[in-house]
Amino acid sequence: MSLTADDVNKIAHLARLGIDHQDVESYAKDLSGILDLMTQMSELNTDNVEPMAHPMDQAQRLRADVVTEPDNREKFQAIAPQVEAGLYLVPKVIE
Amino acid sequence: MHTKTLIELAQGLRSKEFSSVELTQTFLDRIQKHQHLNAYITVTEAVALHNAQAADTRLANGTAGLLTGIPIAQKDIFCTLDVKTTCGSKMLDNFSAPYNATVVEKFNQAGAVMLGKLNMDEFAMGSSNETSYYGAVKNPWNINSVPGGSSGGSAAAVAARLAVCATGTDTGGSIRQPAALCGITGLKPTYGRVSRYGMIAYASSLDQGGPMARSAEEAAIMLQTMAGFDEKDSTSVDLPVPDYCAGLNNSLAGLKIGLPKEFFGEGLNSDVAATLETAINEYRKLGAEIKEISMPNLKLAIPAYYVIAPAECSANLSRFDGVRYGYRCANPVDLADLYTRSRGEGFGKEVKRRILMGTYALSTGYYDAYYLKAQKIRRLISEDFKQALTEVDVIMGPVTPTTAFGIGEKMSNPIEMYLSDIYTIAINLAGVPALSIPAGFVAGMPVGLQIIGNYFAEDRLLNIAHQYQQVTDWHLHTPKGFE
């Protein structure tokens, strides 16, 4: 299994991850090598095996729907790159 | 003062041989003197001295515990209120956490004095501490060697006595491997034993925080403070916490130790193998029975891990978007540009590699072949451990195939770096606890012995490690220049 530079650009787009032009080839090479390593998995028949998502096979714990957190908006927004009137600012999305 | 054990220091504080302020100042001076190791990202000198003073008050009025006034350090993956928390990344270079991680909160309540935040591989992704935005950490046993990773700063700091003990986190070996390479004791608890709240996530179904110290006894004291149910962590396990020090002196007579033949085959350096054999013989003398076992699916742990961990990482790290906190690129032209460039400029190469790998493995058309397949293999590996632990009480083996490798040696070949985690990764997939203890030296560099136990058997593991440390002194060696 080998990935092309094109594949890497597509994956990077899916992840909204900027990668330097000159690094694309080396990512393609590294990822292809990692995928080769993963093909070892196909050696093993896993037809009737239940996938394991969690070491304890635990179900999500639920809690009562009550307010437990105080309002921390100001504190959390103090570390944001750009805020105004309690809102996070990003470049204009709708013209 | 810095060569004393945690228990000796606790006694010294009580007998007024020295105060916590004096002890803290001693460690702060040592951090300053040995800053070339690059073990710390942030030193919190003023807060440390302030808290040491508070600890001295507690010691005087009789409300102190064992850790009160003891200088410790936190891996920079744990959020610390109003203190820079970087996770070893440029992405969080400007991030001051708005709350404390539960682990940090627990140490604060115990009165431990935080000296600062320890260097680590970026977002805990690495096995050498070379992926840190703040530069590589040096191994105190040989400054041209890596300390291991990702908790490399923690291991180097404890080995060089720049903190009495430290926290670490372990997703695929990140506590045990640096502990082994730096000659200290490091425990990865059972998944769910220690709260992950405020511990910046890498791969949430594998991540687990744990203690890093010189001895098993010190690790037991730390774990006592760290462990326990936390409703703020949805995967925290609600089971009572045993007294981890109570059983340390239990006899090992009749202990059944399994040695998986898959752990001692090709790839293990012969000098490391010989060192481990001597250590295992020591256990024979302590009354243990040794049995060879087989865990046939272990060989697939690396490929399964490098699907599951990057998949979870690609999801977890999507939160770093340049909008709410962390790095934002300059002059974004639109929202897509803001996301793409903030992430592109904020993350280092290894983190990007894993985000790409995980995104690919989860993308349409590949999910079944990679992610689902890896989860099935995870089940088989976990069954291997469950089966083995019905035949034997604990499993022993190497932590690393070799002693610490040179700085720069493996950075150009990510796969070779991944393969160095061959003996530690399967444990995280299964979720069982495991620790590394110093078991000797090869050419002056420390070798670790790994001991793996059943779910929630941390007390047993610590007992087994402690008994070995009563008949050996590997854990008391200090690297030259740091005595």
mmCIF file of all heavy atoms in Angstrom, chain A residues 1 15-16 18 26 30 33 38 41 44 46 49-52 56-57 60-61 75 80-82 89, chain B residues 81 190-191 233-234 236 306 323-324 328 340 343-344 349 353 356 360 373 375-376 379-380 415:
data_model
loop_
_atom_site.group_PDB
_atom_site.id
_atom_site.type_symbol
_atom_site.label_atom_id
_atom_site.label_comp_id
_atom_site.label_asym_id
_atom_site.label_seq_id
_atom_site.Cartn_x
_atom_site.Cartn_y
_atom_site.Cartn_z
ATOM 1 N N MET A 1 0.853 -1.194 0.000
ATOM 2 C CA MET A 1 0.000 0.000 0.000
ATOM 3 C C MET A 1 0.887 1.241 0.000
ATOM 4 O O MET A 1 1.718 1.416 0.877
ATOM 5 C CB MET A 1 -0.851 -0.031 1.278
ATOM 6 C CG MET A 1 -1.863 1.093 1.366
ATOM 7 S SD MET A 1 -3.318 0.732 0.397
ATOM 8 C CE MET A 1 -3.990 2.376 0.181
ATOM 9 N N ALA A 15 -8.223 16.920 7.281
ATOM 10 C CA ALA A 15 -7.840 17.239 8.662
ATOM 11 C C ALA A 15 -7.670 18.743 8.867
ATOM 12 O O ALA A 15 -7.315 19.167 9.970
ATOM 13 C CB ALA A 15 -6.556 16.498 9.026
ATOM 14 N N ARG A 16 -7.917 19.552 7.817
ATOM 15 C CA ARG A 16 -7.681 21.009 7.884
ATOM 16 C C ARG A 16 -6.297 21.289 8.486
ATOM 17 O O ARG A 16 -6.145 22.036 9.447
ATOM 18 C CB ARG A 16 -8.759 21.705 8.730
ATOM 19 C CG ARG A 16 -10.183 21.515 8.234
ATOM 20 C CD ARG A 16 -10.411 22.142 6.849
ATOM 21 N NE ARG A 16 -11.798 22.021 6.417
ATOM 22 C CZ ARG A 16 -12.295 20.988 5.718
ATOM 23 N NH1 ARG A 16 -11.505 19.971 5.364
ATOM 24 N NH2 ARG A 16 -13.562 20.971 5.351
ATOM 25 N N GLY A 18 -2.461 22.338 7.539
ATOM 26 C CA GLY A 18 -1.531 22.882 6.559
ATOM 27 C C GLY A 18 -0.206 22.134 6.612
ATOM 28 O O GLY A 18 0.347 21.948 7.699
ATOM 29 N N SER A 26 7.799 13.514 1.699
ATOM 30 C CA SER A 26 8.297 12.748 2.847
ATOM 31 C C SER A 26 7.144 12.196 3.689
ATOM 32 O O SER A 26 7.228 11.087 4.217
ATOM 33 C CB SER A 26 9.301 13.555 3.681
ATOM 34 O OG SER A 26 8.637 14.397 4.585
ATOM 35 N N ASP A 30 6.609 8.279 4.522
ATOM 36 C CA ASP A 30 6.427 7.807 5.903
ATOM 37 C C ASP A 30 5.094 7.075 6.063
ATOM 38 O O ASP A 30 5.032 5.991 6.636
ATOM 39 C CB ASP A 30 6.431 8.987 6.891
ATOM 40 C CG ASP A 30 7.789 9.648 7.002
ATOM 41 O OD1 ASP A 30 8.781 9.044 6.538
ATOM 42 O OD2 ASP A 30 7.851 10.773 7.537
ATOM 43 N N GLY A 33 5.066 3.693 4.511
ATOM 44 C CA GLY A 33 5.807 2.748 5.351
ATOM 45 C C GLY A 33 4.967 2.272 6.532
ATOM 46 O O GLY A 33 4.947 1.083 6.864
ATOM 47 N N MET A 38 1.042 -1.924 8.811
ATOM 48 C CA MET A 38 -0.325 -2.292 9.184
ATOM 49 C C MET A 38 -0.876 -3.474 8.405
ATOM 50 O O MET A 38 -1.796 -4.137 8.864
ATOM 51 C CB MET A 38 -1.246 -1.093 9.000
ATOM 52 C CG MET A 38 -0.993 -0.080 10.074
ATOM 53 S SD MET A 38 -1.788 1.443 9.682
ATOM 54 C CE MET A 38 -1.103 2.439 10.986
ATOM 55 N N MET A 41 -1.604 -6.846 9.929
ATOM 56 C CA MET A 41 -2.853 -7.165 10.631
ATOM 57 C C MET A 41 -3.716 -8.140 9.833
ATOM 58 O O MET A 41 -4.470 -8.912 10.410
ATOM 59 C CB MET A 41 -3.667 -5.899 10.911
ATOM 60 C CG MET A 41 -3.004 -4.942 11.873
ATOM 61 S SD MET A 41 -4.162 -3.708 12.525
ATOM 62 C CE MET A 41 -4.763 -2.925 11.043
ATOM 63 N N LEU A 44 -4.039 -12.096 10.303
ATOM 64 C CA LEU A 44 -4.815 -12.748 11.342
ATOM 65 C C LEU A 44 -6.301 -12.725 10.997
ATOM 66 O O LEU A 44 -6.855 -11.687 10.668
ATOM 67 C CB LEU A 44 -4.572 -11.979 12.657
ATOM 68 C CG LEU A 44 -4.890 -12.720 13.942
ATOM 69 C CD1 LEU A 44 -3.934 -13.881 14.146
ATOM 70 C CD2 LEU A 44 -4.778 -11.750 15.125
ATOM 71 N N THR A 46 -9.936 -12.440 11.863
ATOM 72 C CA THR A 46 -10.653 -11.838 12.998
ATOM 73 C C THR A 46 -12.167 -11.854 12.743
ATOM 74 O O THR A 46 -12.893 -11.021 13.276
ATOM 75 C CB THR A 46 -10.193 -10.379 13.212
ATOM 76 O OG1 THR A 46 -10.306 -9.671 11.974
ATOM 77 C CG2 THR A 46 -8.771 -10.290 13.708
ATOM 78 N N VAL A 49 -14.539 -11.906 15.800
ATOM 79 C CA VAL A 49 -14.045 -11.190 16.976
ATOM 80 C C VAL A 49 -14.798 -9.876 17.139
ATOM 81 O O VAL A 49 -14.989 -9.131 16.188
ATOM 82 C CB VAL A 49 -12.528 -10.911 16.843
ATOM 83 C CG1 VAL A 49 -12.005 -10.162 18.072
ATOM 84 C CG2 VAL A 49 -11.759 -12.205 16.630
ATOM 85 N N GLU A 50 -15.228 -9.636 18.361
ATOM 86 C CA GLU A 50 -15.933 -8.397 18.683
ATOM 87 C C GLU A 50 -14.906 -7.262 18.806
ATOM 88 O O GLU A 50 -13.932 -7.381 19.540
ATOM 89 C CB GLU A 50 -16.645 -8.610 20.024
ATOM 90 C CG GLU A 50 -17.601 -7.535 20.464
ATOM 91 C CD GLU A 50 -18.850 -7.449 19.614
ATOM 92 O OE1 GLU A 50 -19.206 -8.453 18.938
ATOM 93 O OE2 GLU A 50 -19.441 -6.369 19.621
ATOM 94 N N PRO A 51 -15.090 -6.146 18.086
ATOM 95 C CA PRO A 51 -14.113 -5.053 18.221
ATOM 96 C C PRO A 51 -14.084 -4.493 19.651
ATOM 97 O O PRO A 51 -15.112 -4.469 20.317
ATOM 98 C CB PRO A 51 -14.611 -3.979 17.241
ATOM 99 C CG PRO A 51 -15.873 -4.470 16.650
ATOM 100 C CD PRO A 51 -16.152 -5.849 17.131
ATOM 101 N N MET A 52 -12.911 -4.085 20.096
ATOM 102 C CA MET A 52 -12.769 -3.592 21.472
ATOM 103 C C MET A 52 -12.443 -2.106 21.430
ATOM 104 O O MET A 52 -11.380 -1.706 20.986
ATOM 105 C CB MET A 52 -11.650 -4.369 22.152
ATOM 106 C CG MET A 52 -11.298 -3.922 23.547
ATOM 107 S SD MET A 52 -10.128 -5.103 24.279
ATOM 108 C CE MET A 52 -9.473 -4.108 25.604
ATOM 109 N N MET A 56 -12.149 -1.485 29.428
ATOM 110 C CA MET A 56 -13.027 -2.061 30.452
ATOM 111 C C MET A 56 -14.371 -2.473 29.846
ATOM 112 O O MET A 56 -15.275 -2.851 30.585
ATOM 113 C CB MET A 56 -13.293 -1.047 31.568
ATOM 114 C CG MET A 56 -12.064 -0.538 32.258
ATOM 115 S SD MET A 56 -11.284 -1.848 33.186
ATOM 116 C CE MET A 56 -9.593 -1.313 33.130
ATOM 117 N N ASP A 57 -14.512 -2.333 28.534
ATOM 118 C CA ASP A 57 -15.799 -2.559 27.890
ATOM 119 C C ASP A 57 -16.908 -1.828 28.639
ATOM 120 O O ASP A 57 -18.000 -2.344 28.870
ATOM 121 C CB ASP A 57 -16.115 -4.060 27.810
ATOM 122 C CG ASP A 57 -15.338 -4.700 26.659
ATOM 123 O OD1 ASP A 57 -15.164 -4.037 25.626
ATOM 124 O OD2 ASP A 57 -14.898 -5.852 26.811
ATOM 125 N N GLN A 60 -20.926 4.289 28.668
ATOM 126 C CA GLN A 60 -20.820 5.689 29.067
ATOM 127 C C GLN A 60 -21.616 5.928 30.355
ATOM 128 O O GLN A 60 -22.782 5.569 30.437
ATOM 129 C CB GLN A 60 -21.365 6.573 27.941
ATOM 130 C CG GLN A 60 -21.247 8.046 28.205
ATOM 131 C CD GLN A 60 -19.794 8.511 28.177
ATOM 132 O OE1 GLN A 60 -19.030 8.133 27.308
ATOM 133 N NE2 GLN A 60 -19.424 9.316 29.155
ATOM 134 N N ARG A 61 -20.961 6.495 31.332
ATOM 135 C CA ARG A 61 -21.640 6.784 32.586
ATOM 136 C C ARG A 61 -22.545 8.005 32.402
ATOM 137 O O ARG A 61 -22.155 8.971 31.762
ATOM 138 C CB ARG A 61 -20.606 7.052 33.672
ATOM 139 C CG ARG A 61 -21.137 6.910 35.079
ATOM 140 C CD ARG A 61 -20.056 7.077 36.136
ATOM 141 N NE ARG A 61 -19.423 8.355 36.034
ATOM 142 C CZ ARG A 61 -18.124 8.528 35.755
ATOM 143 N NH1 ARG A 61 -17.353 7.493 35.545
ATOM 144 N NH2 ARG A 61 -17.619 9.724 35.672
ATOM 145 N N LYS A 75 -13.345 33.890 32.138
ATOM 146 C CA LYS A 75 -12.067 33.235 32.392
ATOM 147 C C LYS A 75 -11.600 32.480 31.140
ATOM 148 O O LYS A 75 -10.438 32.536 30.756
ATOM 149 C CB LYS A 75 -12.249 32.269 33.567
ATOM 150 C CG LYS A 75 -10.975 31.609 33.946
ATOM 151 C CD LYS A 75 -10.934 31.240 35.409
ATOM 152 C CE LYS A 75 -9.471 31.168 35.772
ATOM 153 N NZ LYS A 75 -9.157 30.705 37.049
ATOM 154 N N ALA A 80 -8.454 33.389 24.820
ATOM 155 C CA ALA A 80 -8.794 33.223 23.398
ATOM 156 C C ALA A 80 -8.021 34.232 22.553
ATOM 157 O O ALA A 80 -7.725 35.335 23.015
ATOM 158 C CB ALA A 80 -10.285 33.396 23.197
ATOM 159 N N PRO A 81 -7.705 33.860 21.308
ATOM 160 C CA PRO A 81 -6.973 34.780 20.435
ATOM 161 C C PRO A 81 -7.730 36.087 20.172
ATOM 162 O O PRO A 81 -7.143 37.156 20.153
ATOM 163 C CB PRO A 81 -6.790 33.998 19.138
ATOM 164 C CG PRO A 81 -7.010 32.566 19.468
ATOM 165 C CD PRO A 81 -7.917 32.543 20.666
ATOM 166 N N GLN A 82 -9.042 36.001 19.954
ATOM 167 C CA GLN A 82 -9.795 37.216 19.635
ATOM 168 C C GLN A 82 -11.254 37.074 20.078
ATOM 169 O O GLN A 82 -11.961 36.177 19.610
ATOM 170 C CB GLN A 82 -9.754 37.447 18.109
ATOM 171 C CG GLN A 82 -9.707 38.911 17.723
ATOM 172 C CD GLN A 82 -9.768 39.091 16.207
ATOM 173 O OE1 GLN A 82 -9.609 38.137 15.444
ATOM 174 N NE2 GLN A 82 -10.016 40.306 15.790
ATOM 175 N N LEU A 89 -14.196 35.600 17.877
ATOM 176 C CA LEU A 89 -14.168 36.175 16.532
ATOM 177 C C LEU A 89 -13.359 35.331 15.567
ATOM 178 O O LEU A 89 -12.276 34.853 15.895
ATOM 179 C CB LEU A 89 -13.582 37.594 16.571
ATOM 180 C CG LEU A 89 -14.369 38.662 17.303
ATOM 181 C CD1 LEU A 89 -13.791 40.040 16.951
ATOM 182 C CD2 LEU A 89 -15.856 38.615 16.962
ATOM 183 N N LEU B 81 -3.610 25.539 36.881
ATOM 184 C CA LEU B 81 -4.312 26.819 36.927
ATOM 185 C C LEU B 81 -3.344 28.004 36.879
ATOM 186 O O LEU B 81 -2.438 28.101 37.723
ATOM 187 C CB LEU B 81 -5.160 26.872 38.215
ATOM 188 C CG LEU B 81 -5.904 28.167 38.498
ATOM 189 C CD1 LEU B 81 -6.975 28.427 37.456
ATOM 190 C CD2 LEU B 81 -6.506 28.144 39.894
ATOM 191 N N THR B 190 -3.737 0.706 35.920
ATOM 192 C CA THR B 190 -4.857 0.202 35.125
ATOM 193 C C THR B 190 -5.596 1.387 34.501
ATOM 194 O O THR B 190 -5.768 2.423 35.151
ATOM 195 C CB THR B 190 -5.859 -0.532 36.042
ATOM 196 O OG1 THR B 190 -5.151 -1.486 36.819
ATOM 197 C CG2 THR B 190 -6.950 -1.227 35.232
ATOM 198 N N TYR B 191 -6.039 1.208 33.257
ATOM 199 C CA TYR B 191 -6.833 2.266 32.619
ATOM 200 C C TYR B 191 -8.026 2.613 33.510
ATOM 201 O O TYR B 191 -8.763 1.721 33.933
ATOM 202 C CB TYR B 191 -7.310 1.803 31.236
ATOM 203 C CG TYR B 191 -8.102 2.869 30.529
ATOM 204 C CD1 TYR B 191 -7.467 3.860 29.805
ATOM 205 C CD2 TYR B 191 -9.488 2.914 30.630
ATOM 206 C CE1 TYR B 191 -8.185 4.873 29.187
ATOM 207 C CE2 TYR B 191 -10.216 3.916 30.013
ATOM 208 C CZ TYR B 191 -9.555 4.891 29.299
ATOM 209 O OH TYR B 191 -10.269 5.891 28.698
ATOM 210 N N ASP B 233 -14.200 12.688 35.033
ATOM 211 C CA ASP B 233 -13.616 11.861 33.968
ATOM 212 C C ASP B 233 -14.601 10.736 33.694
ATOM 213 O O ASP B 233 -14.811 9.859 34.540
ATOM 214 C CB ASP B 233 -12.257 11.322 34.439
ATOM 215 C CG ASP B 233 -11.693 10.249 33.506
ATOM 216 O OD1 ASP B 233 -12.317 9.944 32.464
ATOM 217 O OD2 ASP B 233 -10.623 9.711 33.827
ATOM 218 N N SER B 234 -15.200 10.751 32.500
ATOM 219 C CA SER B 234 -16.281 9.793 32.215
ATOM 220 C C SER B 234 -15.789 8.352 32.135
ATOM 221 O O SER B 234 -16.590 7.425 32.157
ATOM 222 C CB SER B 234 -16.983 10.174 30.916
ATOM 223 O OG SER B 234 -16.105 10.007 29.833
ATOM 224 N N SER B 236 -13.365 7.222 34.299
ATOM 225 C CA SER B 236 -12.782 6.921 35.608
ATOM 226 C C SER B 236 -13.524 5.727 36.210
ATOM 227 O O SER B 236 -14.735 5.604 36.068
ATOM 228 C CB SER B 236 -12.947 8.156 36.500
ATOM 229 O OG SER B 236 -12.571 7.879 37.811
ATOM 230 N N TYR B 306 -0.724 1.634 16.105
ATOM 231 C CA TYR B 306 -0.501 2.770 15.199
ATOM 232 C C TYR B 306 -1.664 3.013 14.239
ATOM 233 O O TYR B 306 -1.589 3.872 13.376
ATOM 234 C CB TYR B 306 0.866 2.676 14.511
ATOM 235 C CG TYR B 306 1.924 3.210 15.460
ATOM 236 C CD1 TYR B 306 2.735 2.360 16.193
ATOM 237 C CD2 TYR B 306 2.017 4.581 15.711
ATOM 238 C CE1 TYR B 306 3.648 2.855 17.120
ATOM 239 C CE2 TYR B 306 2.914 5.080 16.628
ATOM 240 C CZ TYR B 306 3.728 4.215 17.328
ATOM 241 O OH TYR B 306 4.608 4.719 18.253
ATOM 242 N N VAL B 323 -9.295 29.074 17.386
ATOM 243 C CA VAL B 323 -10.446 29.933 17.677
ATOM 244 C C VAL B 323 -10.576 30.242 19.173
ATOM 245 O O VAL B 323 -10.697 31.391 19.565
ATOM 246 C CB VAL B 323 -11.762 29.296 17.166
ATOM 247 C CG1 VAL B 323 -12.974 30.130 17.582
ATOM 248 C CG2 VAL B 323 -11.726 29.137 15.650
ATOM 249 N N ARG B 324 -10.517 29.196 19.997
ATOM 250 C CA ARG B 324 -10.847 29.408 21.416
ATOM 251 C C ARG B 324 -9.634 29.584 22.331
ATOM 252 O O ARG B 324 -9.690 30.266 23.340
ATOM 253 C CB ARG B 324 -11.722 28.267 21.909
ATOM 254 C CG ARG B 324 -13.105 28.315 21.284
ATOM 255 C CD ARG B 324 -13.731 26.950 21.263
ATOM 256 N NE ARG B 324 -12.881 26.016 20.535
ATOM 257 C CZ ARG B 324 -12.831 24.723 20.771
ATOM 258 N NH1 ARG B 324 -13.552 24.188 21.721
ATOM 259 N NH2 ARG B 324 -12.038 23.947 20.050
ATOM 260 N N ARG B 328 -2.870 30.991 17.037
ATOM 261 C CA ARG B 328 -3.632 31.404 15.857
ATOM 262 C C ARG B 328 -2.654 32.027 14.868
ATOM 263 O O ARG B 328 -1.818 32.852 15.247
ATOM 264 C CB ARG B 328 -4.710 32.429 16.232
ATOM 265 C CG ARG B 328 -5.365 33.036 14.991
ATOM 266 C CD ARG B 328 -6.413 34.085 15.317
ATOM 267 N NE ARG B 328 -7.664 33.446 15.739
ATOM 268 C CZ ARG B 328 -8.843 34.064 15.687
ATOM 269 N NH1 ARG B 328 -8.952 35.303 15.253
ATOM 270 N NH2 ARG B 328 -9.926 33.446 16.087
ATOM 271 N N THR B 340 -6.514 25.887 8.848
ATOM 272 C CA THR B 340 -5.440 25.144 8.194
ATOM 273 C C THR B 340 -4.062 25.673 8.582
ATOM 274 O O THR B 340 -3.170 24.903 8.915
ATOM 275 C CB THR B 340 -5.628 25.210 6.660
ATOM 276 O OG1 THR B 340 -6.945 24.757 6.370
ATOM 277 C CG2 THR B 340 -4.633 24.333 5.943
ATOM 278 N N ARG B 343 -3.233 25.287 12.492
ATOM 279 C CA ARG B 343 -2.850 23.904 12.801
ATOM 280 C C ARG B 343 -1.522 23.545 12.141
ATOM 281 O O ARG B 343 -0.674 22.877 12.743
ATOM 282 C CB ARG B 343 -3.968 22.945 12.353
ATOM 283 C CG ARG B 343 -5.216 23.097 13.220
ATOM 284 C CD ARG B 343 -6.459 22.495 12.594
ATOM 285 N NE ARG B 343 -6.395 21.060 12.332
ATOM 286 C CZ ARG B 343 -6.453 20.121 13.266
ATOM 287 N NH1 ARG B 343 -6.577 20.453 14.525
ATOM 288 N NH2 ARG B 343 -6.400 18.840 12.938
ATOM 289 N N GLY B 344 -1.356 24.003 10.923
ATOM 290 C CA GLY B 344 -0.120 23.710 10.194
ATOM 291 C C GLY B 344 1.100 24.335 10.850
ATOM 292 O O GLY B 344 2.166 23.721 10.922
ATOM 293 N N LYS B 349 6.141 18.088 13.275
ATOM 294 C CA LYS B 349 6.074 17.088 12.220
ATOM 295 C C LYS B 349 5.499 15.738 12.679
ATOM 296 O O LYS B 349 4.702 15.128 11.970
ATOM 297 C CB LYS B 349 7.473 16.877 11.616
ATOM 298 C CG LYS B 349 7.395 16.204 10.276
ATOM 299 C CD LYS B 349 8.620 16.403 9.407
ATOM 300 C CE LYS B 349 8.317 15.792 8.043
ATOM 301 N NZ LYS B 349 9.461 15.545 7.216
ATOM 302 N N ARG B 353 2.153 13.942 11.333
ATOM 303 C CA ARG B 353 2.199 12.595 10.760
ATOM 304 C C ARG B 353 1.081 11.743 11.358
ATOM 305 O O ARG B 353 0.380 11.020 10.656
ATOM 306 C CB ARG B 353 3.565 11.996 11.100
ATOM 307 C CG ARG B 353 4.011 10.888 10.188
ATOM 308 C CD ARG B 353 5.383 10.379 10.629
ATOM 309 N NE ARG B 353 6.486 11.143 10.093
ATOM 310 C CZ ARG B 353 7.514 11.636 10.802
ATOM 311 N NH1 ARG B 353 7.575 11.457 12.108
ATOM 312 N NH2 ARG B 353 8.466 12.296 10.219
ATOM 313 N N LEU B 356 -2.437 12.860 10.200
ATOM 314 C CA LEU B 356 -2.673 12.399 8.827
ATOM 315 C C LEU B 356 -2.997 10.907 8.822
ATOM 316 O O LEU B 356 -3.952 10.458 8.173
ATOM 317 C CB LEU B 356 -1.451 12.670 7.947
ATOM 318 C CG LEU B 356 -1.144 14.145 7.631
ATOM 319 C CD1 LEU B 356 0.210 14.267 6.944
ATOM 320 C CD2 LEU B 356 -2.242 14.758 6.759
ATOM 321 N N TYR B 360 -6.620 9.313 7.782
ATOM 322 C CA TYR B 360 -6.700 8.332 6.694
ATOM 323 C C TYR B 360 -7.412 7.060 7.168
ATOM 324 O O TYR B 360 -8.321 6.558 6.508
ATOM 325 C CB TYR B 360 -5.297 8.011 6.185
ATOM 326 C CG TYR B 360 -5.285 6.994 5.070
ATOM 327 C CD1 TYR B 360 -5.738 7.337 3.798
ATOM 328 C CD2 TYR B 360 -4.829 5.700 5.287
ATOM 329 C CE1 TYR B 360 -5.738 6.412 2.768
ATOM 330 C CE2 TYR B 360 -4.831 4.767 4.265
ATOM 331 C CZ TYR B 360 -5.278 5.119 3.004
ATOM 332 O OH TYR B 360 -5.289 4.200 1.994
ATOM 333 N N LYS B 373 -10.471 -3.376 12.124
ATOM 334 C CA LYS B 373 -9.545 -4.509 12.193
ATOM 335 C C LYS B 373 -8.635 -4.364 13.428
ATOM 336 O O LYS B 373 -8.409 -5.321 14.176
ATOM 337 C CB LYS B 373 -8.699 -4.546 10.914
ATOM 338 C CG LYS B 373 -7.712 -5.689 10.831
ATOM 339 C CD LYS B 373 -8.382 -6.982 10.419
ATOM 340 C CE LYS B 373 -7.393 -8.140 10.418
ATOM 341 N NZ LYS B 373 -8.026 -9.411 10.059
ATOM 342 N N GLN B 375 -9.240 -2.756 16.151
ATOM 343 C CA GLN B 375 -9.999 -2.952 17.390
ATOM 344 C C GLN B 375 -10.258 -4.432 17.665
ATOM 345 O O GLN B 375 -10.345 -4.848 18.822
ATOM 346 C CB GLN B 375 -11.330 -2.218 17.301
ATOM 347 C CG GLN B 375 -11.177 -0.714 17.489
ATOM 348 C CD GLN B 375 -12.521 -0.061 17.723
ATOM 349 O OE1 GLN B 375 -13.494 -0.383 17.062
ATOM 350 N NE2 GLN B 375 -12.576 0.856 18.658
ATOM 351 N N LYS B 376 -10.376 -5.208 16.597
ATOM 352 C CA LYS B 376 -10.551 -6.657 16.779
ATOM 353 C C LYS B 376 -9.253 -7.278 17.286
ATOM 354 O O LYS B 376 -9.257 -8.149 18.158
ATOM 355 C CB LYS B 376 -10.985 -7.297 15.462
ATOM 356 C CG LYS B 376 -12.402 -6.930 15.064
ATOM 357 C CD LYS B 376 -12.783 -7.548 13.736
ATOM 358 C CE LYS B 376 -14.278 -7.374 13.492
ATOM 359 N NZ LYS B 376 -14.733 -8.231 12.378
ATOM 360 N N ARG B 379 -8.844 -6.704 20.882
ATOM 361 C CA ARG B 379 -9.575 -7.690 21.673
ATOM 362 C C ARG B 379 -8.736 -8.960 21.860
ATOM 363 O O ARG B 379 -8.620 -9.485 22.965
ATOM 364 C CB ARG B 379 -10.903 -8.028 20.977
ATOM 365 C CG ARG B 379 -11.639 -9.236 21.507
ATOM 366 C CD ARG B 379 -12.524 -8.932 22.683
ATOM 367 N NE ARG B 379 -13.456 -7.859 22.360
ATOM 368 C CZ ARG B 379 -14.106 -7.133 23.293
ATOM 369 N NH1 ARG B 379 -13.922 -7.395 24.578
ATOM 370 N NH2 ARG B 379 -14.925 -6.169 22.942
ATOM 371 N N LEU B 380 -8.106 -9.436 20.775
ATOM 372 C CA LEU B 380 -7.319 -10.674 20.857
ATOM 373 C C LEU B 380 -6.101 -10.502 21.770
ATOM 374 O O LEU B 380 -5.753 -11.404 22.525
ATOM 375 C CB LEU B 380 -6.894 -11.123 19.452
ATOM 376 C CG LEU B 380 -8.043 -11.519 18.514
ATOM 377 C CD1 LEU B 380 -7.517 -11.806 17.111
ATOM 378 C CD2 LEU B 380 -8.798 -12.734 19.067
ATOM 379 N N ILE B 415 9.424 4.872 11.664
ATOM 380 C CA ILE B 415 9.002 3.492 11.905
ATOM 381 C C ILE B 415 9.957 2.792 12.870
ATOM 382 O O ILE B 415 9.539 2.076 13.778
ATOM 383 C CB ILE B 415 8.862 2.726 10.577
ATOM 384 C CG1 ILE B 415 7.704 3.354 9.804
ATOM 385 C CG2 ILE B 415 8.590 1.245 10.818
ATOM 386 C CD1 ILE B 415 7.512 2.848 8.417
#
